[in-house]
Amino acid sequence: MLEQYSSKNSIEISGVPEIKGEEITNVVTAVSGAVGFTLNRSMIDACHRLGKNPNKPNEPRGIILKFVSRMDKDQLLKCKRIKRNVHVSDLGEMFSRLPNVNPNSNIFINESLSQFNRVLYAKARLYSKQNNIKFVWIRNGQIAMRKVEDSKIFVIKSVDDFKDVH
């Protein structure tokens, strides 16, 4: 719980191609602009590329972006929900000229999760597919599920909570 709280102002961005010598603040500014959010450097507490994922060595490293204010993080995520799909081509010319990069590749922008919640969210998504649960999402570091459009929302804190969703 404390580990998740420490990530409350952070988002993770994945799928952004790496450019040799890139200025990471310019990269996150391009991603933010692609969803219609104006990111100012004064909003950024820290940002950097993550380490390589050994299970996906050919994929670009993810980016962690920590905001000074949670309100700014929430606003960027709201813009992303409105935009829905973000692709490499939405980032502008800096990325569209890269060799061996598919301009239609997806870029994902999500809340930063603790390791426990990351694993629990993956299990929740799998459970939802296997049990015809229509909605699984994360808001403010909490995992939620809903069977259908108008059904009750369940907050998921452990795999034991899955049984309540039926």
Side-chain angles (χ1 to χ4, degrees):
M1 182 110 146
L2 185 59
E3 182 185 356
Q4 185 61 56
Y5 186 78
S6 68
S7 298
K8 71 182 176 8
N9 291 4
S10 300
I11 62 166
E12 290 183 28
I13 304 168
S14 58
V16 178
E18 295 186 52
I19 299 173
K20 186 175 172 115
E22 68 188 4
E23 175 58 49
I24 199 68
T25 53
N26 293 340
V27 174
V28 295
T29 300
V31 171
S32 300
V35 298
F37 180 79
T38 303
L39 179 69
N40 299 314
R41 288 181 188 259
S42 62
M43 296 175 177
I44 301 171
D45 183 26
C47 64
H48 58 84
R49 289 269 183 185
L50 299 168
K52 268 285 190 206
N53 182 341
N55 298 323
K56 301 175 183 176
N58 296 326
E59 289 189 12
R61 295 176 297 156
I63 299 168
I64 190 94
L65 170 58
K66 184 175 183 187
F67 285 89
V68 173
S69 163
R70 189 176 343 166
M71 290 186 303
D72 291 330
K73 178 204 84 168
D74 291 343
Q75 188 61 41
L76 183 136
L77 289 171
K78 182 179 178 184
C79 290
K80 188 265 181 193
R81 282 191 296 277
I82 292 168
K83 167 79 172 165
R84 302 280 305 160
N85 297 314
V86 183
H87 301 98
V88 170
S89 60
D90 297 325
L91 299 182
E93 199 170 311
M94 167 172 43
F95 294 93
S96 61
R97 295 180 302 187
L98 292 173
N100 303 320
V101 172
N102 180 351
N104 297 319
S105 293
N106 288 319
I107 294 174
F108 300 96
I109 304 168
N110 297 299
E111 288 192 41
S112 182
L113 296 176
S114 67
Q115 188 61 34
F116 176 83
N117 277 349
R118 184 183 312 273
V119 170
L120 183 60
Y121 184 51
K123 290 178 181 177
R125 288 192 325 265
L126 180 63
Y127 181 84
S128 71
K129 287 179 185 171
Q130 294 170 342
N131 293 277
N132 293 325
I133 294 168
K134 192 168 181 184
F135 303 101
V136 180
W137 70 94
I138 297 170
R139 186 75 40 90
N140 297 322
Q142 290 190 319
I143 301 163
M145 295 175 94
R146 165 186 271 179
K147 180 91 172 156
V148 293
E149 191 81 36
D150 295 328
S151 62
K152 181 179 176 186
I153 296 171
F154 292 90
V155 174
I156 306 299
K157 296 184 177 173
S158 75
V159 293
D160 294 336
D161 295 332
F162 294 165
K163 68 184 179 308
D164 296 334
V165 180
H166 282 311

